């Protein structure tokens, strides 16, 4: 079985990670999963919000947004509508949770990191690209904080890496890393967030069409574990040196 | 291993479903999972929004909300804050998707059903109680629509039932239907939506503490499938006659 | 003259008060005036907002809201619309003023009580049911505060009780406690808030149809004073013991 | 007993009505009750909102607002806060209801009138000044509509006039037309809207301090009826010729 | 060439400045440029926002708004729409910048002045009338602050005056102080803010129709410098004594 | 006199224009003025808003926004704050006006173009870069519309090009194309929008510090005319072929 773009069912789209794309942020990466492009920046602030002060722990949060013409049809801006939609909230929360799963808040100390993931071009898998790129931006921001001595010399705030990929069932066949045209056709769509050590952080599967059985669920998880292992390797290359 | 309230790890809290609690709505149910109480109403409107007209298909959507003092500490009202939080949006979307998974939109015809799930008292598992109760309200609203001949005599808009339950890992032990005090201690928390025939509609697992491995994921899914089978039986009793 | 539901013109609908309906709030009551059902909770907080600190006085405030399908036709949620309507504001303010009229803020001390009145089912008279039920929730929250020693042993923060009822003129006849179908037909509609000792706290009369003369006004006030005396008796029974 | 400004207890402040103050509106009046100044404009539109079309009836609505520095201390603008407060909503609704009480909507025909009452300077009684001035603006807008033949030659959309005044009890003495410094001291505050023929449209009495008895209520109503009769005379003079 | 109202191309409309129109504000002026009327108030507060404290400097800011029926067709209120439009923001910012250009913030000391410019009637040039009137209100508020000793005896917070006027090209002819009917026909529209000493604070020229060349730009600037010199004289008269 | 980055006072920063950067939009350009990077997309829709239908004319509008971490310090998102700031509104309106100045709306026909200018990295001059890049995106979108035959074969909707540049006075010296560190030091800041033929569309000069005289104004205009001529050449190269 071949896919529209010629990939095998267990093959990722071409992945690129441009580390340090932004010259202003403490950490940044422009990541692409095929035509999907997400600019991830990490903003490091020494200190935490007042309600967290004095606990010796830090905080990591994330905001996701799409440019109005990142998509095929222009969407209205959420700033113009005056409210953030449900999908945006949901993805922002997912990115934040995924990153916090690999951060030791005690080791981070009383520092705050805000991750911004802005989708410049969308072709499916924007949230998984965002998580994968955000990890790279986060890692650089933490190094920046260490350089400024906001983080202790021997502290290890990152105890694992984290990456994400989408999987889905199309015409009964489980597939890895869905492009937009595949995503709209999928009966089941699942986003899986996995650490570099192969542990699950999030499993979010939804039957868009027919509900799925346990065997299908297992196949999807297998594909996702393979895909995120590849992404973990690419993250390691990007952050090396 | 016993739990704080004396339940076995694979035991649901006491479940009650008061069908037809509201005298105004076309379908309604006051459901309780232990101390968690959710009022679910289904509002049936003949016709669909303009953008869907003429396609011969219906629509089902849902809104979830918590009363400000449903919780142990009073929360500000979202209407007063002027914006709906991310969690509310996320749960409203989840309930809507879960119900749509068992509705044949062609059989429903050009009719709209809005489900409201208002949490009157919260003690963990509000979203899963909401889905389980909403199904009962939905089923009654569909019968109402059939009575009014908005739905054809032989049309079968509901082709399956749907229920949901939370599962989680506490101190390394997978457990079914977490109460609030369990939920806050859980390392991993998963909400699973399953149809009466045992197929998955949603699997949403999150590592709140330590990431989880494949074996733990399997145990959680087993517990959830058992719990939702029990709930499906209770729904069948509630809607019978 | 008989009314649609067989009542006499000076007869209240069946009134029930379920004290302590909510297990989370410091005080609560589910009150019904016929089919109208309002859940009233009182949240007690030790301390007052910063701008009131140090004056030795407390504060009581209220918020009123209707569930979207409490009514015969579903209404949009105010949280979804992003703004609170005029009617909601007006009733919230009325409930707060009515309760404050019987509270000695010095005796309350630096404590804050927030009353939430959520209409679960609406059939006319929701604001008067809310005030009447809110008093019961308030009384219990004050006892809770006394038990926790946030209120002095001999302090008497409540120096009277308070209840409310609607009255109106239909086809020229003054009537007590209007149900929804009566309310929409009334030429004049009046909400009257009266203390247990028979003093007026609020008199809000509006000519929806024909303006009214002094004699009609007097009849309405007579009916309201009678109705609220009955309600005061029911409140006393509910809070006894 | 004399008041701070030397008035008798049953004496209005100096009242002026500048009819036609605005050159743009179809009807307008700048009214002052002592230092309180309200600019009232009436905007006449031929036609009604879509949901009212074809019923042969018109609509009258009102909006009230205060300039940020109409008061002694500057208030934030509601447009800047992004939401309208409860008091503003409540007064806007009161003005609209009061005017509609003297308009025959059939005689008005399918025309819409929007009244704007903007408080330029506030010294107590802004809502009663607004109602009293709004009537003058409304009357002129109706004449404008008749001139344009949007209203039939013999149609009588106004079947009565309407005016309003505040009354209150200060140190046990009932008084007419409270200035701001009196208003803050009043134990009871009542706004009464009365037609030219002496019928009540609204009676809104609130015990700000001690609840009031029936005898006090009667005294307040007597004062209000006297005050609004005087205002009706001034309105008649203002709109004559 | 004569204009619709008979003015010469370099002639201002009749200008009136009623200083101290508001009895509540520390400084105020009701200014008219022909039929355009703007009520300007200046609110003086001793102290500055927290983020400015301790720098020994003050702050001046401004808010502009139009009454809904100041215009020929009624506009919706921005408070009702829940958001402030772009034009309102832009003009508020322009007024604030223009006034700050003549204020020595060190000499003002830690005091805050908020200028409100509310357009009561609009016939073109509302922003330039607002700036011109706001200066008068500001000057009086500063004197008030000096009287209260919030400003030092010898401090000179105002080192120049400031006024503004619109100019534009209509049918190829540059003209001064455009009325509304002229404004809508103008090919180019320019607002120029000039100090009493003849220096430019703002030059905001926009080609609404055909772009303009350097020679036309020069003619417009000449007209504006003449017009603002006249306005500076009128301001001096208004603030004298 | 040399500048921090070694430029001459009349020298632009390095300018790059990556035409067609976005694969989804009908026209797009990623433009950089030194470190300032703005992604401009043009979305072409056949048809116009309802209120413009039937007039045979089109519409061009623009929205400007900054990514939260485009700047040196992270800003809150306007979508999160729920309202768009004054500066954003002002710049969006400026971009729209600037582009409309070179478009023949009749020749465009009943088509709508929405320009989005999203600042990915900000180092001064974001609005001028946005206008300059938006022109390139607009030109391509118009060609796309011609290819789709939404625009007539011989229609010439663009009758000129348009570009913009900032100029300012620093330490008394007029300079071209200010970088952020220069912008904050400038006494006067001016944005000038000029067509390819050298005509002015907008002149927006503001004295941030000392007001400026006529001679300074003339020098700034000279610099701006030179700079925009260079930009017009770069636009021509970018859109050629």
């Amino acid at each position: 079985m071949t896919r529209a773009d010629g990939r095998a069912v267990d093959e990722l789209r071409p992945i690129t990670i441009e580390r340090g794309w932004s010259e202003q942020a403490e950490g940044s990466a422009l990541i692409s999963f095929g035509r999907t492009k997400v600019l991830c920046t990490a903003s490091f602030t020494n200190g935490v919000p007042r309600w967290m002060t004095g606990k010796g722990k830090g905080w990591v949060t994330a905001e996701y947004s799409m440019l109005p013409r990142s998509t095929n049809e222009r969407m209205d801006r959420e700033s113009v509508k005056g409210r953030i939609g449900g999908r945006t909230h949901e993805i922002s929360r997912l990115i934040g949770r995924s990153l916090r799963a690999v951060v030791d808040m005690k080791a981070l100390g009383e520092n705050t990191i805000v991750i911004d993931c802005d989708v410049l071009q969308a072709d499916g898998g924007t949230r998984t690209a965002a998580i994968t790129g955000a990890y790279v931006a986060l890692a650089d921001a933490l190094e920046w904080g260490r350089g400024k001595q906001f983080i202790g010399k021997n502290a290890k705030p990152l105890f694992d890496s984290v990456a994400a990929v989408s999987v889905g069932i199309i015409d009964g066949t489980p597939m890895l890393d869905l492009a937009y045209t595949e995503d709209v056709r999928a009966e089941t769509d699942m986003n899986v967030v996995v650490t570099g050590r192969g542990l699950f952080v999030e499993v979010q599967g939804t039957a868009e069409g027919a509900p799925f059985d346990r065997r299908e669920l297992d196949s999807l998880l297998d594909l996702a574990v393979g895909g995120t292992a590849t992404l973990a390797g690419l993250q390691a290359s990007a952050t090396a040196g």
Side-chain angles (χ1 to χ4, degrees), chain A:
Chain A
M1 166 131 201
T2 343
R3 297 158 78 172
D5 56 4
R7 277 188 288 154
V9 293
D10 62 351
E11 192 180 344
L12 292 169
R13 288 175 287 178
I15 311 293
T16 65
I17 303 177
E18 289 182 59
R19 184 184 167 199
W21 194 88
S22 165
E23 297 171 66
Q24 315 261 34
E26 286 75 37
S28 70
L30 178 62
I31 192 166
S32 54
F33 275 35
R35 284 163 49 125
T36 290
K37 294 185 188 181
V38 185
L39 177 56
C40 307
T41 60
S43 299
F44 189 107
T45 308
N46 183 228
V48 286
R50 212 169 320 169
W51 58 273
M52 286 192 65
T53 308
K55 301 186 181 160
K57 296 202 292 189
W59 189 239
V60 175
T61 187
E63 291 184 9
Y64 166 96
S65 186
M66 298 179 82
L67 292 198
R69 193 55 202 277
S70 58
T71 45
N72 202 43
E73 305 249 316
R74 186 179 185 274
M75 305 177 303
D76 285 340
R77 284 175 194 270
E78 293 185 322
S79 60
V80 169
K81 288 190 287 186
R83 49 175 71 195
I84 290 179
R87 180 182 173 278
T88 297
H89 266 304
E90 200 169 320
I91 298 177
S92 294
R93 288 155 53 91
L94 170 65
I95 299 170
R97 284 199 309 269
S98 299
L99 295 172
R100 287 192 295 271
V102 296
V103 175
D104 175 345
M105 293 300 167
K106 289 259 172 195
L108 173 55
E110 295 205 354
N111 294 298
T112 303
I113 295 175
V114 180
I115 304 289
D116 287 289
C117 297
D118 285 272
V119 179
L120 305 187
Q121 192 161 279
D123 186 29
T126 60
R127 81 189 70 187
T128 53
I131 292 166
T132 308
Y135 169 76
V136 175
L138 171 65
D140 273 1
L142 290 170
E143 279 317 299
W144 181 93
R146 191 189 306 281
K148 294 284 181 190
Q149 299 186 302
F150 295 139
I151 295 178
K153 214 175 181 171
N154 301 313
K156 289 217 154 197
L158 275 182
F159 53 80
D160 203 345
S161 69
V162 66
V165 78
S166 73
V167 287
I169 302 175
I170 299 173
D171 297 337
T173 307
M175 292 187 185
L176 179 67
D177 187 23
L178 309 188
Y180 179 70
T181 51
E182 294 174 330
D183 190 50
V184 294
R185 288 180 51 217
E187 292 108 47
T188 286
D189 179 21
M190 187 176 290
N191 291 292
V192 187
V193 184
V194 184
T195 72
R197 293 189 184 144
L199 295 169
F200 295 98
V201 171
E202 291 270 342
V203 175
Q204 296 205 339
T206 297
E208 304 284 353
F212 50 99
D213 63 23
R214 187 69 169 267
R215 194 185 43 77
E216 289 172 316
L217 176 52
D218 285 337
S219 303
L220 291 171
L221 291 168
D222 291 341
L223 278 176
V225 168
T228 50
T230 306
L231 291 168
L234 294 168
Q235 287 173 323
S237 308
T239 53

